[in-house]
Amino acid sequence: MAEKQVEQFYAPPPKLGKWEAFSIFLWNPETHQFLGRTGASWAKILLFYVLFYTCLAGFFSAMLAIFYQTLDMRIPKRELDGSLIGDNPGLGFRPMPPESNVESTLIWYKGSDENNYKYWVEELDKFLEPYRKPGQSASIGQNIQTCSYDNEPADGKVCEVDVNDFAPCTEANNYNYPKSAPCIFLKLNKIFNWMPVFYNDTDLPEKMPQDLKVHIREEKLRNPRTINTVWVSCEGENPADVENIGPIQYIPRRGFPGYFFPFKNYEGYLSPLVAVFFERPVHGVLVNIECKAWAQNIVHDRIERRGSVHFELMVD
Amino acid sequence: MNREVFIDDHLIPLRIFYQRHHTDPDNGLSDERAAVLLSMYGPNKLKRPPQENKFVRFLKNFFGGFAVMLWVGSLLCFITFSIQSIEADYDHLYLGVVLVTVVIITGLFTHYQQSKSGKVLEAFQSMLPEQATVIRDGRKLVVSAEDIVLGDVVDLRAGDKVPADMRIIECQGLKVDNSSLTGESEPQPRTTEPTSDVPFNTHNMAFYSTLVVSGTGRGVVVSCGDSSAMGRIAELTSGLKSAETPIAREIKHFVRLITWVAIAAGFVIGALSLSMGYHWLDAVVILIGIIVANVPEGLLVTVTVCLTLSAQRMARKNCLVKHLEAVETLGSTSVICSDKTGTLTQNRMTVSHVWFEGEVMAVDTSAEPRFDNLDVADEQFLALARVAMLCSRAEFDAEQLDLPVYARRVFGDASETAILKFLEAALGGVEEYRQQHQKVFEIPFSSDTKYQVSVHRTKEDGPSEYLMVMKGAPERLLERCTRVMVGEEEHALDHKWRLACQEAYGQMMAMGERVLGFCDLALPPDTYKRGYVFDAEKQNFPQTGMRFVGFMSLVDPPRPGVLEAVRKCRSAGIRVIMVTGDHPTTAAAIARAVGIFTVQHSFDSGAARRYAEGAHGTPTPDLPGQAPAVARYPSLLQDLGTSVAARYPSLVYEPYAGISRQPSLLSERPTRDSNWPPLTAPGRQASVFPQQDQLSRQGSLLFPPTSQPRTAALIHGDDLRDWSSEELDNILSTYDEFVFARTSPTQKLSIVESCQRLGYIVAVTGDGVNDAPALKQADIGVAMGVTGSDVAKQAADMILLDDNFATIVTGVEEGRVIFDNLKKSIAYTLTSNTPEMLPFAVSVLAKVPLPLGIMAILCINIGTDLWPAISLAYEQAEQDIMTRRPRDPVRDKLVNSRLICIAYLHIGQLQAAAGFFAYFTVMALNGFMPCRLFGLLEEWNAKGIKDLQDSWGREWTFEARKDLEYMCHTAFFVAIVVVQWADLLICKTRKVSLLQQGMRNWPLNLGLLVCSAMACFMVYTPGVNTTLRLRPLRPELWLCGVPWALLILFYDEVRRYLIRKHPGGWVDREFYY
């Protein structure tokens, strides 16, 4: 079979110097090739890639579009522990340190210097913006109702959070920052359809701070329904911090009222807030503070930081 | 060119010679002097070639190729860790340790493979200590060969290995086998007289390590150990640095390419991230990611395993590979320089032609011959056989009479052995016949008389008492004959018959065969009565008037299968060049027989030389009758006068001067007359010798008219000596077919070097010590396992256990397959680099949470991708790879730009799309729609932000976000695993459709399962998944990759369809790797 075939032996190519080869690669005057391709060749290959990537992008978008058809924009596909978010809400605080220092949880300012505390005040202003003007549109306005323990929201409605209730932690007061007695707002993370299981005054856990236990019992005496509250406690982390933290006020009440739950992503929903008012923190000292939310289905996990929040406060 | 050493020890008169070496032919050296010399020069043995420091070699495995990149990566990890250590984030430390572990495991694995193949070699290196008989202080002593010193007088006997280079001072019928040193296939007679200036050619020298075949002798040692001829060759060999193997070059090129891609990508993205205001530590982390994504951590292991698998396959086919990389080298070979004796030929003399009844009959020369075409009952054949049986000293080993004829051992020289075996096989009963015809007188063969005579008693009833039989060089024999037997008749040996006889043996000799004539004479009973005493001195027997009965010619026949193998090489575009120490005629004849010469050779550098040799008597007694044979060509005589001086300028340079070799030359080449080989091809069919036609062609061959296409050249070693390297290069690039004859070891080396200078990848085969330097210099040296000398085996990269040239072709095939399959394997491995790298780029540019983590990348590169990549080594060749040209080492890279484009820009992009699709799916399922994700990176990674809101208003803590991120990594990882299934399927073939190729590669099919199982193990095993930063992915999310896998299959089928449909078309040129 190979007999009649003209064999093609390997013939080595001509040898070129490195620079010579490179300059020919750059521009070959004989073949008018630039970087090893002629103009037409470049045009063809570029056209191919333009087409290829256009088609790819098209296919990708089409696939995503088809997938998003299966999603509801209000109700999550999966809820609670079916989703990675789980059913143990985290606790958040405001104001947050600047973005340039995202890892930090330190609130550090000088009460006597307006420029120094301005950032924190503005942060809180921004945060409370939605709370201040709840009824921006008619539909949202319709949705909002004033709730109380005796007046739970109707289905599809959300409860009002009145910023005036936070006095003295108000915008007008600059949230008390200039007085070196700052307010820090706490909020419980929104988890779709999460419903707290409230403590009874009889089954309060051992770890719960004594003053909170006392407070719960007092509240219950005043209105038994207030027991339906996710309670909040803030403490210094270490004995020194306990010393330095000074007296604390929880405004407007010491917890998140149960009528705010569950969160169903109805329009206009606002998380309930607790303003923690540090009346007389020791100046010039860094205070480690841990706040916890209390409900039977909130597990506290210091490493994973669930159901609690840690921040440092330093007022100069 | 001239690296030969001048020696005159064999030329000077013996008296001066003894003085020079302070020795005495009868008493030898004194014990004291021997001891002094021994302590001065050291033992008579070869120095072991220096080995590379084992520790250095061990360390090299940890710092070559990608290892450096990984070291850099791990170093960066440690740096970032040490800077961040206040935060106690152990991720970077962990990653650094993992990277170091990868480097170390890869290094250890490579080292293990190396040392394993090294052990194969050691088995060959064990040399048995030799003994030698020396005379010292007048006493014969048996000493270890290592204790022999300069000037020792040594006795040699048949069966001994010559213990040092020595000048022969006494000998009786001494013959040595120089084949391992000079390549001469026949035992060389030794005499006490110098016959040539060149030590290798003179007959009064015996060389270290050669074997004494017959006779006895005594010699004086002139050089020993490393200064002996063999020592110098060994030194020449060890002085050569073995060049980098092509696959090593390819991998180096590939590593460089990938390193550049990684560095470029790393720095572009790193710089972008810095300019976008990321912290420099983040930029470093991104850089680490890019490095880890780009470096195919498992690739070196893959390549090693692929080569090992091939090496094992080759070992099963009798091809033992010493260095793993040599497996591929054979595949890219473009020139094979083959030794003749023992590789192309069987290294056993065999009767190949018989002349009787005025006709040349071919004899089957195969290992188990049949003689159907011979009329064994023919009267003249019987007469010829009778002479041949009687006039011989060869005998079968009496203990092996039960073995087949051709397997028996014979005591006797090579030609007599061949004749004896031929007659025993064709007729049988040689021994009985000899007993019936007792030998009464004999004159053994001598190189002076060139014949052998014996007288035998005839049977009782015969017409005469005695029969005289004679065999020898044809021209000497014909001088003594007056009659010739033709069939049953006898003719007077007149002018006409003389010419016919001359013509016949001329033909046979032109084929490089050794021709013996046979004649007999029934001695007249009246003169030579019973009891007549024959006397060699008095020559009291007839000298003339004999009856010529026929010729037999002997040849060392080509090995069966070599012709086919050479043909395969040609169709595979590989030149086969014969480089031999043997004589040009023999070499050219074998070259023709095995298909190395397919045209008449148009350039014969040695023709004039052979003519000259012939005119001044015969320099090569074992080729009797050379002079008249050449002198018979009148055309040569005429040509010589005009063209000797100007022969090669006019023949070689003029037509090609200044013309650079154009590729078009290949196509202009005329179709060859390839029907030539069957002439002496080993086979069972009878082939009648071509008569007049061939002779007339032969006559004009040597110096053809210029109009004839010149493609083949027969080059004599003595001419090579005079040429400069450029001249040799020029010759080599001018002709197509080459036979180099009478070459010395250094010349073999020069030929190999010249081929390499011309850009060829050269394989050299050889068995002898004389081949060792060339074997070492070659890109791949192939030594013979059975006949090969230790030196040759040591210098070689590969050992043929069956000594068969045809095995090399299998090796070439295997090498080409592995090159293709490595290409596929690399294409497969590289493809997943894009989906590993792009997440970093997208994360930086679009500020989305990182879609794929570094740990997941490692899981792919050294986890799921490993088995499938290796399994591609088992893939069958998709087309007949032995009909295409050898790859061009400059252009046909293992990894070329097309492969990179396909891997990174086509399939890789599709894979990346699959990964991102999975990423966006998981994110969306958990509430982060793409519009929310863009620009989210900083907040996402902010530990302080405990309540990052998703598209459904839910708020995520940092830890929950990280959980989600790892889930995304898992989804991305799983998507890559899924699309890599498709990638594996498309990488099975480079051209043909998957439907044509089929799914017969079971390791690969299994690989699909294994990599999936491995991925499941990583994703779902508690503990393992958290260690690898993976999360148990919902099973239905595996489906994310499926549409993309199908798209990849479809896309690549279309690409390959277009390549097949339009060969040379745009798609073929741009997208065929």
Side-chain angles (χ1 to χ4, degrees):
Chain A
M1 141 211 108
E3 268 181 18
K4 289 292 162 199
Q5 183 183 336
V6 179
E7 291 104 354
Q8 298 239 307
F9 289 121
Y10 163 70
K15 281 205 174 94
L16 289 174
K18 255 193 180 162
W19 172 246
E20 203 180 347
F22 179 72
S23 63
I24 283 185
F25 171 70
L26 214 60
W27 172 250
N28 187 341
E30 271 175 50
T31 51
H32 294 280
Q33 280 174 326
F34 169 67
L35 295 180
R37 287 178 184 278
T38 60
S41 168
W42 272 114
K44 263 188 191 172
I45 196 88
L46 289 178
L47 182 68
F48 168 81
Y49 279 110
V50 167
L51 283 176
F52 179 79
Y53 287 121
T54 312
C55 293
L56 182 56
F59 191 77
F60 188 79
S61 317
M63 293 280 294
L64 271 189
I66 291 168
F67 167 70
Y68 286 140
Q69 290 309 306
T70 66
L71 297 177
D72 186 312
M73 282 302 141
R74 190 182 71 83
I75 301 165
K77 192 94 177 159
R78 300 189 198 111
E79 294 169 6
L80 304 173
D81 56 348
S83 163
L84 281 171
I85 199 163
D87 52 1
N88 196 16
L91 203 57
F93 72 93
R94 290 293 186 285
M96 299 240 286
E99 273 187 29
S100 61
N101 199 6
V102 283
E103 299 278 307
S104 162
T105 51
L106 171 65
I107 300 165
W108 179 19
Y109 78 99
K110 204 173 199 156
S112 54
D113 183 351
E114 198 193 329
N115 284 330
N116 196 284
Y117 64 74
K118 203 170 128 201
Y119 165 80
W120 306 100
V121 173
E122 280 172 4
E123 266 309 283
L124 282 177
D125 284 347
K126 241 187 280 167
F127 172 65
L128 292 174
E129 190 74 27
Y131 289 85
R132 218 168 283 126
K133 306 175 199 155
Q136 276 158 327
S137 69
S139 63
I140 297 177
Q142 272 179 359
N143 244 2
I144 298 175
Q145 70 179 72
T146 312
C147 318
S148 68
Y149 287 104
D150 305 312
N151 184 15
E152 299 216 344
D155 190 40
K157 304 281 181 190
V158 297
C159 291
E160 185 196 25
V161 180
D162 189 353
V163 285
N164 296 320
D165 290 350
F166 296 122
C169 302
T170 56
E171 190 184 9
N173 279 347
N174 281 340
Y175 311 103
N176 245 5
Y177 277 67
K179 292 177 183 163
S180 296
C183 293
I184 288 168
F185 287 83
L186 294 180
K187 60 185 271 286
L188 202 59
N189 282 359
K190 291 185 280 183
I191 291 179
F192 194 89
N193 234 354
W194 181 76
M195 193 60 204
V197 180
F198 306 107
Y199 283 114
N200 228 333
D201 61 336
T202 51
D203 61 355
L204 297 175
E206 251 177 66
K207 281 182 186 165
M208 187 181 269
Q210 203 53 44
D211 65 316
L212 181 56
K213 288 184 186 171
V214 173
H215 176 78
I216 292 171
R217 287 183 191 120
E218 282 170 10
E219 282 290 306
K220 198 189 172 195
L221 287 177
R222 212 180 312 156
N223 178 358
R225 288 201 151 174
T226 53
I227 202 76
N228 293 346
T229 302
V230 177
W231 302 105
V232 166
S233 70
C234 286
E235 289 178 300
E237 267 188 350
N238 308 307
D241 299 322
V242 177
E243 294 267 310
N244 296 334
I245 200 166
I248 298 169
Q249 278 188 42
Y250 302 90
I251 301 165
R253 58 180 70 79
R254 199 173 177 176
F256 307 107
Y259 48 80
F260 281 94
F261 302 100
F263 162 65
K264 291 261 191 188
N265 203 16
Y266 293 126
E267 234 178 337
Y269 178 88
L270 291 168
S271 287
L273 298 177
V274 173
V276 184
F277 176 36
F278 296 92
E279 287 179 76
R280 282 191 307 279
V282 175
H283 289 195
V285 176
L286 186 121
V287 189
N288 287 297
I289 299 161
E290 191 180 34
C291 295
K292 287 178 179 164
W294 297 92
Q296 287 192 36
N297 57 350
I298 294 178
V299 180
H300 299 134
D301 181 338
R302 199 174 256 194
I303 297 159
E304 288 243 325
R305 294 278 177 208
R306 285 187 300 178
S308 67
V309 68
H310 163 96
F311 57 87
E312 302 98 39
L313 182 66
M314 188 157 158
V315 183
D316 281 339
Chain B
M1 219 51 173
N2 286 315
R3 280 178 277 198
E4 323 269 348
V5 183
F6 178 75
I7 295 175
D8 66 352
D9 270 327
H10 58 289
L11 298 172
I12 55 175
L14 276 176
R15 193 173 48 80
I16 302 171
F17 174 73
Y18 294 139
Q19 273 173 8
R20 179 185 285 181
H21 293 287
H22 308 280
T23 192
D24 180 273
D26 300 317
N27 296 323
L29 293 173
S30 64
D31 276 337
E32 295 81 44
R33 185 169 163 78
V36 168
L37 286 175
L38 188 64
S39 64
M40 234 160 83
Y41 296 108
N44 170 37
K45 63 172 184 187
L46 298 183
K47 273 203 297 281
R48 280 287 184 113
Q51 300 272 326
E52 196 185 0
N53 189 319
K54 268 188 183 161
F55 188 65
V56 171
R57 220 175 54 188
F58 179 71
L59 281 188
K60 266 188 184 172
N61 292 324
F62 299 99
F63 294 100
F66 292 122
V68 178
M69 299 265 299
L70 291 178
W71 282 120
V72 171
S74 59
L75 200 68
L76 288 175
C77 285
F78 292 135
I79 290 172
T80 46
F81 169 72
S82 62
I83 286 171
Q84 291 186 325
S85 58
I86 328 129
E87 296 265 326
D89 181 357
Y90 286 97
D91 262 23
H92 289 124
L93 178 68
Y94 178 48
L95 186 62
V97 170
V98 168
L99 289 181
V100 170
T101 316
V102 168
V103 176
I104 288 176
I105 289 177
T106 313
L108 284 178
F109 180 79
T110 320
H111 176 75
Y112 168 71
Q113 285 294 347
Q114 268 179 5
S115 55
K116 212 169 76 174
S117 54
K119 280 199 187 101
V120 175
L121 169 65
E122 279 166 26
F124 279 97
Q125 283 175 341
S126 56
M127 285 192 195
L128 290 168
E130 303 277 344
Q131 306 265 301
T133 314
V134 298
I135 297 168
R136 287 194 186 152
D137 283 336
R139 283 173 296 124
K140 270 196 188 185
L141 293 171
V142 175
V143 297
S144 158
E146 286 189 7
D147 294 337
I148 284 185
V149 294
L150 217 62
D152 256 333
V153 178
V154 180
D155 273 349
L156 298 173
R157 268 193 327 249
D160 283 354
K161 234 181 192 176
V162 180
D165 288 3
M166 56 183 70
R167 176 174 176 171
I168 306 296
I169 52 171
E170 279 173 48
C171 67
Q172 293 86 35
L174 186 65
K175 279 191 176 182
V176 289
D177 178 5
N178 272 356
S179 64
S180 90
L181 210 57
T182 61
E184 287 157 314
S185 48
E186 294 160 32
Q188 301 293 307
R190 296 289 92 165
T191 60
T192 53
E193 293 304 312
T195 54
S196 166
D197 290 350
V198 185
F200 275 134
N201 296 352
T202 188
H203 279 182
N204 64 339
M205 288 286 286
F207 295 98
Y208 181 31
S209 86
T210 58
L211 191 75
V212 179
V213 179
S214 64
T216 56
R218 178 171 286 189
V220 176
V221 175
V222 297
S223 53
C224 47
D226 286 327
S227 58
S228 67
M230 173 152 138
R232 281 200 307 275
I233 293 169
E235 204 175 313
L236 191 60
T237 312
S238 61
L240 296 170
K241 252 200 348 224
S242 20
E244 227 176 358
T245 56
I247 192 75
R249 279 202 291 267
E250 288 301 323
I251 287 178
K252 207 165 149 193
H253 168 84
F254 163 68
V255 168
R256 205 180 292 150
L257 207 68
I258 296 302
T259 309
W260 280 116
V261 170
I263 290 175
F267 275 89
V268 165
I269 297 173
L272 268 176
S273 60
L274 281 180
S275 70
M276 287 174 71
Y278 286 84
H279 193 260
W280 70 269
L281 267 176
D282 292 325
V284 168
V285 171
I286 287 161
L287 191 64
I288 297 170
I290 298 279
I291 289 175
V292 173
N294 259 298
V295 174
E297 287 85 1
L299 191 92
L300 283 182
V301 174
T302 309
V303 170
T304 313
V305 173
C306 286
L307 291 176
T308 310
L309 291 172
S310 288
Q312 284 168 357
R313 268 203 297 259
M314 280 162 100
R316 279 199 290 276
K317 292 171 184 168
N318 288 324
C319 210
L320 203 64
V321 180
K322 272 167 53 181
H323 311 295
L324 279 184
E325 289 166 350
V327 173
E328 193 281 325
T329 311
L330 209 48
S332 44
T333 296
S334 42
V335 165
I336 299 176
C337 290
S338 180
D339 188 28
K340 177 181 75 73
T341 313
T343 315
L344 298 171
T345 67
Q346 303 176 5
N347 200 13
R348 86 187 151 85
M349 288 307 257
T350 307
V351 175
S352 59
H353 290 98
V354 185
W355 182 90
F356 60 90
E357 291 214 34
E359 241 184 284
V360 176
M361 300 294 291
V363 175
D364 186 357
T365 54
S366 62
E368 286 168 26
R370 287 169 50 179
F371 305 104
D372 299 343
N373 63 314
L374 277 183
D375 182 4
V376 292
D378 183 275
E379 189 87 4
Q380 190 180 359
F381 179 74
L382 287 175
L384 177 61
R386 182 171 63 176
V387 179
M389 277 180 192
L390 296 178
C391 191
S392 168
R393 299 173 77 178
E395 275 172 42
F396 283 113
D397 184 343
E399 289 169 16
Q400 294 189 337
L401 290 178
D402 47 341
L403 290 179
V405 174
Y406 277 82
R408 287 184 213 165
R409 188 165 55 190
V410 175
F411 300 110
D413 79 5
S415 355
E416 291 196 340
T417 303
I419 294 170
L420 176 62
K421 284 187 173 174
F422 165 61
L423 292 174
E424 182 68 31
L427 291 173
V430 174
E431 197 49 41
E432 291 92 319
Y433 192 80
R434 281 186 186 165
Q435 263 153 27
Q436 287 161 16
H437 299 78
Q438 289 288 333
K439 191 188 285 180
V440 293
F441 171 72
E442 179 182 46
I443 301 175
F445 187 87
S446 88
S447 44
D448 293 335
T449 56
K450 289 180 177 295
Y451 63 78
Q452 177 178 355
V453 183
S454 59
V455 177
H456 298 262
R457 290 270 303 279
T458 54
K459 277 191 224 161
E460 297 301 326
D461 55 344
S464 59
E465 287 287 339
Y466 293 104
L467 176 72
M468 189 163 90
V469 290
M470 194 174 194
K471 85 166 182 220
E475 73 281 4
R476 296 289 173 94
L477 240 65
L478 284 173
E479 284 167 15
R480 294 166 189 274
C481 293
T482 51
R483 285 166 302 137
V484 58
M485 186 176 181
V486 180
E488 290 170 25
E489 299 158 35
E490 270 181 34
H491 294 282
L493 190 61
D494 55 10
H495 182 67
K496 187 190 99 195
W497 277 108
R498 227 169 253 282
L499 264 186
C501 291
Q502 279 176 358
E503 183 135 310
Y505 79 74
Q507 276 174 18
M508 292 191 270
M509 272 198 310
M511 293 191 303
E513 297 182 0
R514 177 177 179 184
V515 187
L516 290 174
F518 295 87
C519 57
D520 63 3
L521 179 65
L523 294 178
D526 41 339
T527 321
Y528 301 95
K529 292 194 176 69
R530 179 173 292 244
Y532 183 87
V533 181
F534 295 89
D535 189 328
E537 292 294 312
K538 290 186 206 155
Q539 302 243 328
N540 57 352
F541 48 87
Q543 304 287 324
T544 56
M546 309 190 76
R547 180 180 69 155
F548 184 73
V549 291
F551 294 116
M552 282 191 190
S553 72
L554 299 123
V555 76
D556 179 11
R559 283 174 171 276
V562 167
L563 176 67
E564 189 47 43
V566 171
R567 196 172 286 168
K568 265 191 179 166
C569 283
R570 301 179 76 91
S571 73
I574 302 167
R575 278 167 211 261
V576 182
I577 296 179
M578 184 195 281
V579 183
T580 177
D582 216 334
H583 299 275
T585 357
T586 322
I590 294 294
R592 225 167 273 129
V594 299
I596 291 176
F597 273 172
T598 54
V599 291
Q600 304 294 356
H601 50 268
S602 51
F603 174 58
D604 185 342
S605 81
R609 182 173 307 275
R610 281 205 300 286
Y611 167 73
E613 280 174 359
H616 300 106
T618 353
T620 49
D622 278 19
L623 264 185
Q626 192 123 38
V630 181
R632 278 186 61 257
Y633 302 123
S635 57
L636 174 61
L637 283 170
Q638 287 161 11
D639 280 1
L640 276 174
T642 54
S643 61
V644 164
R647 70 179 191 277
Y648 70 71
S650 68
L651 278 170
V652 180
Y653 291 123
E654 206 173 30
Y656 293 95
I659 302 174
S660 64
R661 196 174 165 85
Q662 298 291 323
S664 59
L665 203 65
L666 292 167
S667 49
E668 284 166 15
R669 207 170 281 158
T671 313
R672 309 249 167 76
D673 169 18
S674 303
N675 293 325
W676 188 265
L679 270 184
T680 45
R684 292 187 174 153
Q685 84 277 25
S687 55
V688 176
F689 205 96
Q691 300 256 344
Q692 295 300 332
D693 175 44
Q694 193 212 336
L695 263 184
S696 57
R697 274 154 78 187
Q698 189 100 23
S700 60
L701 275 185
L702 306 172
F703 297 101
T706 35
S707 64
Q708 224 171 316
R710 291 187 201 97
T711 48
L714 172 62
I715 293 160
H716 196 285
D718 292 349
D719 295 293
L720 213 51
R721 205 190 305 272
D722 304 332
W723 294 350
S724 67
S725 317
E726 291 73 35
E727 281 171 306
L728 181 58
D729 289 359
N730 220 325
I731 290 273
L732 277 169
S733 48
T734 306
Y735 293 89
D736 296 324
E737 300 172 349
F738 294 94
V739 168
F740 291 90
R742 295 306 268 170
T743 47
S744 71
T746 44
Q747 287 164 352
K748 287 193 183 193
L749 190 59
S750 309
I751 294 165
V752 174
E753 283 170 342
S754 179
C755 288
Q756 286 174 330
R757 268 199 303 277
L758 292 171
Y760 292 105
I761 292 186
V762 186
V764 170
T765 70
D767 53 358
V769 175
N770 58 335
D771 300 318
L775 287 172
K776 184 89 177 204
Q777 173 66 35
D779 294 288
I780 175 165
V782 184
M784 300 299 134
V786 183
T787 57
S789 60
D790 288 333
V791 177
K793 283 176 190 165
Q794 204 161 37
D797 305 296
M798 196 178 263
I799 293 161
L800 296 186
L801 294 180
D802 58 0
D803 286 16
N804 195 345
F805 182 80
T807 311
I808 299 177
V809 179
T810 334
V812 169
E813 202 164 350
E814 201 64 60
R816 288 186 172 192
V817 172
I818 201 63
F819 188 79
D820 278 9
N821 286 350
L822 276 181
K823 236 179 187 182
K824 294 172 184 177
S825 185
I826 289 173
Y828 170 79
T829 317
L830 285 189
T831 307
S832 60
N833 280 4
T834 307
E836 288 165 6
M837 192 163 47
L838 273 185
F840 290 96
V842 170
S843 170
V844 165
L845 296 176
K847 299 203 169 185
V848 296
L850 192 61
L852 184 69
I854 297 177
M855 288 306 294
I857 292 173
L858 282 174
C859 289
I860 295 166
N861 283 358
I862 53 178
T864 56
D865 268 6
L866 213 53
W867 180 307
I870 291 169
S871 73
L872 280 168
Y874 287 98
E875 197 58 38
Q876 280 174 350
E878 49 192 292
Q879 64 227 50
D880 189 4
I881 49 171
M882 288 307 277
T883 53
R884 67 175 193 226
R885 295 173 62 182
R887 70 185 183 89
D888 178 338
V890 182
R891 270 166 292 191
D892 300 344
K893 291 282 176 200
L894 181 66
V895 175
N896 51 34
S897 57
R898 268 126 31 224
L899 189 147
I900 296 274
C901 279
I902 296 289
Y904 280 84
L905 297 181
H906 296 206
I907 310 300
Q909 300 292 339
L910 293 173
Q911 293 197 333
F916 280 108
F917 179 67
Y919 167 75
F920 283 122
T921 304
V922 171
M923 278 295 191
L925 280 176
N926 283 288
F928 289 92
M929 299 295 158
C931 44
R932 175 84 182 101
L933 280 174
F934 292 118
L936 194 64
L937 181 62
E938 269 172 81
E939 293 167 72
W940 183 276
N941 284 337
K943 273 204 184 118
I945 298 179
K946 316 268 180 201
D947 51 356
L948 193 71
Q949 194 163 326
D950 68 13
S951 308
W952 286 316
R954 302 183 300 180
E955 287 167 330
W956 293 70
T957 60
F958 177 76
E959 290 71 28
R961 291 200 301 271
K962 282 290 148 183
D963 246 3
L964 175 55
E965 189 179 322
Y966 292 142
M967 187 61 88
C968 288
H969 293 179
T970 311
F972 206 112
F973 163 75
V974 164
I976 292 178
V977 170
V978 170
V979 287
Q980 280 290 74
W981 295 342
D983 192 28
L984 184 61
L985 295 183
I986 64 168
C987 284
K988 273 167 69 84
T989 60
R990 296 192 300 143
K991 202 171 208 165
V992 304
S993 163
L994 181 61
L995 300 172
Q996 291 165 280
Q997 183 78 353
M999 293 291 287
R1000 286 184 301 271
N1001 183 350
W1002 285 104
L1004 184 137
N1005 300 348
L1006 195 61
L1008 288 173
L1009 285 180
V1010 167
C1011 81
S1012 314
M1014 206 184 258
C1016 287
F1017 173 77
M1018 289 170 176
V1019 171
Y1020 296 112
T1021 317
V1024 174
N1025 51 14
T1026 44
T1027 315
L1028 297 174
R1029 306 286 181 269
L1030 298 174
R1031 294 290 178 269
L1033 187 73
R1034 284 170 167 269
E1036 68 265 24
L1037 287 174
W1038 282 67
L1039 293 176
C1040 288
V1042 172
W1044 302 95
L1046 296 176
L1047 184 66
I1048 288 171
L1049 281 179
F1050 173 74
Y1051 174 80
D1052 210 64
E1053 277 296 328
V1054 169
R1055 179 180 71 89
R1056 278 174 284 147
Y1057 171 77
L1058 291 176
I1059 289 171
R1060 291 196 303 275
K1061 184 84 179 175
H1062 306 289
W1066 186 76
V1067 181
D1068 188 15
R1069 274 177 289 133
E1070 297 285 355
F1071 302 132
Y1072 176 62
Y1073 57 86

